[in-house]
């Protein structure tokens, strides 16, 4: 049974960098796409972007200038880096597996439990 | 970006009721529409893909319909475990976008 687990600091400084990692267990990171999605009471669910197991990325234009995804296949992990952080980036960050059936037919079939990130100096 | 508008934002219903949630896309997304259920303190859970395909293990009281810009999630005979928030999500084009959710509460 494939499981995803987010890890990283729960607190980031304004203008600092948020680094989160998603560890995939019970299955391989290979042959899949992986996403980061965040949730806030004010903006709801916001797709941040995806990365393929081969490293191909696609970011939400609203965050593209500040976000970088990476994948570590030997460790079966993928990561998010967001900088510079602002108060508006405080959110619950989820990692999720993306299933790609066909062009435009994508969905998130597995989610991590989420990592709560606050922003404060 | 494609805007996804859900209605209502919340509703109260009783066990056994039939519940209908609508989701409208700001442009034609064919049937590239997915539905998720989220319970408090839990991650979203995939219910339906491609507007109407029920995922494995999801009870048949859940159904989805629609295409183009207008979609519906129906729960027949609401059960206690169905009280949750439901989200639609389009995959027609990036950035993938979600509706703001419909909270189904106990009457």
């Amino acid at each position: 049974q494939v499981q995803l687990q987010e890890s990283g600091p729960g607190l980031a400084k304004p203008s600092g960098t948020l680094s989160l990692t998603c560890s995939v267990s019970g299955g391989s990171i290979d042959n899949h796409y992986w996403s980061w999605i965040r949730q806030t009471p004010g903006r709801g669910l916001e797709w941040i972007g995806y990365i393929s197991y081969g490293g191909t990325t696609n970011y939400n234009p609203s965050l593209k200038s500040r976000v970088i995804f990476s994948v570590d296949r030997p460790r079966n992990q993928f990561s998010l880096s967001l900088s510079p952080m602002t108060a508006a980036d405080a959110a619950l960050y989820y990692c999720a597996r993306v299933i790609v059936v066909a062009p435009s037919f994508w969905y998130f079939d597995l989610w991590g439990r989420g990592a709560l990130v606050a922003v404060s100096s | 970006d494609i805007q996804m508008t859900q209605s209502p934002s919340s509703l109260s219903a009783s066990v056994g009721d039939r519940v209908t949630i609508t989701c409208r896309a700001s442009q034609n997304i064919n049937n590239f529409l997915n539905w998720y259920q989220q319970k408090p303190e839990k991650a979203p859970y995939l219910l339906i893909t491609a507007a109407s395909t029920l995922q494995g293990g999801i009870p048949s009281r859940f159904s989805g319909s629609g295409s183009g810009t207008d979609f519906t999630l129906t729960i027949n005979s609401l059960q206690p475990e169905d009280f949750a928030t439901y989200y639609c999500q389009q995959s027609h084009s990036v950035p993938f976008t979600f509706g703001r959710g419909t909270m189904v509460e106990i009457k």
Side-chain angles (χ1 to χ4, degrees), chain A residues 46-112:
Chain A
E46 180 180 26
W47 175 75
I48 300 171
Y50 68 69
I51 185 167
S52 74
Y53 66 99
T56 300
T57 57
N58 195 326
Y59 303 124
N60 190 323
S62 68
L63 294 163
K64 187 174 183 177
S65 64
R66 299 193 293 127
V67 68
I68 298 174
F69 291 171
S70 60
V71 63
D72 187 336
R73 293 173 67 187
R75 292 188 176 185
N76 230 32
Q77 296 175 336
F78 61 100
S79 298
L80 167 153
S81 176
L82 182 63
S83 178
M85 290 286 284
T86 74
D89 295 315
L92 183 59
Y93 285 76
Y94 291 105
C95 58
R97 188 173 73 176
V98 187
I99 299 297
V100 184
V101 179
S104 292
F105 185 7
W106 302 50
Y107 55 88
F108 310 108
D109 74 324
L110 291 174
W111 297 61

Side-chain angles (χ1 to χ4, degrees), chain B residues 32-68:
Chain B
F32 300 123
L33 189 283
N34 308 310
W35 289 98
Y36 301 83
Q37 176 194 68
Q38 186 177 32
K39 296 183 178 180
E41 310 303 319
K42 298 289 187 182
Y45 188 83
L46 181 66
L47 295 177
I48 289 171
T49 62
S52 61
T53 302
L54 214 59
Q55 293 304 286
I58 303 301
S60 59
R61 63 180 178 273
F62 289 90
S63 64
S65 64
S67 66

